[in-house]
Amino acid sequence: MMQRQFCAPLTAVDSVNTESESEVSASKVIKADDPYLSGHYPHFTIYPGIFIIESVGQAVRAHVTAHRGATYGADLVEVSRVRFTAPLLPGNTLELDARITPGEQDPDLLSVKAEARREDGARCAAMTLTFRLEDRNA
């Protein structure tokens, strides 16, 4: 089985909860020495918005693996909506909650509505994404 590599080395989630069939949650501690923070605004270092999207992607892929098996993957195919509302700074914890529903027209598509918050409850981002399921052994 060929594993697709999305970002290396990027761990965009520290922990993932995949217990629910239709929801996934995850968290990530933003550390000042994370290599991707260097230079992402030199005098106001923030966790890049694209990495919040990648955090959701890694959580969704973990959910798919947990509920469909290790041969399944999920590829991001569409960002329908995204809004960034507050920065994530070194020392913050990103907390994600995402609702996953099968596509209405295509059962191989997953619609994901996700919200990212800091540990203080401030909403950092809200987004609607679409992923395509793929059996990597098929």
Side-chain angles (χ1 to χ4, degrees), residues 1-133:
M1 173 176 75
M2 182 173 188
Q3 181 79 19
R4 291 186 188 190
Q5 182 124 7
F6 292 90
C7 297
L10 170 62
T11 301
V13 291
D14 295 329
S15 65
V16 181
N17 180 341
T18 61
E19 291 177 21
S20 170
E21 287 282 333
S22 61
E23 296 178 355
V24 63
S25 59
S27 65
K28 162 105 177 108
V29 175
I30 312 304
K31 299 177 185 166
D33 61 348
D34 285 340
Y36 44 81
L37 286 179
S38 157
H40 195 255
Y41 303 121
H43 301 292
F44 186 66
T45 303
I46 62 171
Y47 191 64
I50 190 67
F51 287 6
I52 298 174
I53 295 172
E54 177 60 23
S55 296
V56 173
Q58 289 184 17
V60 168
R61 287 190 285 280
H63 183 274
V64 166
T65 297
H67 291 276
R68 300 220 179 208
T71 64
Y72 276 86
D75 297 326
L76 178 64
V77 294
E78 181 178 11
V79 177
S80 304
R81 179 182 158 279
V82 64
R83 182 169 178 172
F84 300 109
T85 55
L88 282 160
L89 307 173
N92 286 145
T93 299
L94 166 66
E95 298 185 7
L96 294 172
D97 289 302
R99 191 170 358 118
I100 302 170
T101 56
E104 292 179 18
Q105 304 290 326
D106 185 343
D108 289 335
L109 293 179
L110 298 176
S111 177
V112 176
K113 292 189 179 204
E115 190 168 279
R117 294 189 176 278
R118 290 190 309 232
E119 72 284 353
D120 64 1
R123 187 170 83 171
C124 302
M127 62 195 77
T128 303
L129 311 172
T130 303
F131 290 82
R132 179 169 299 284
L133 289 171

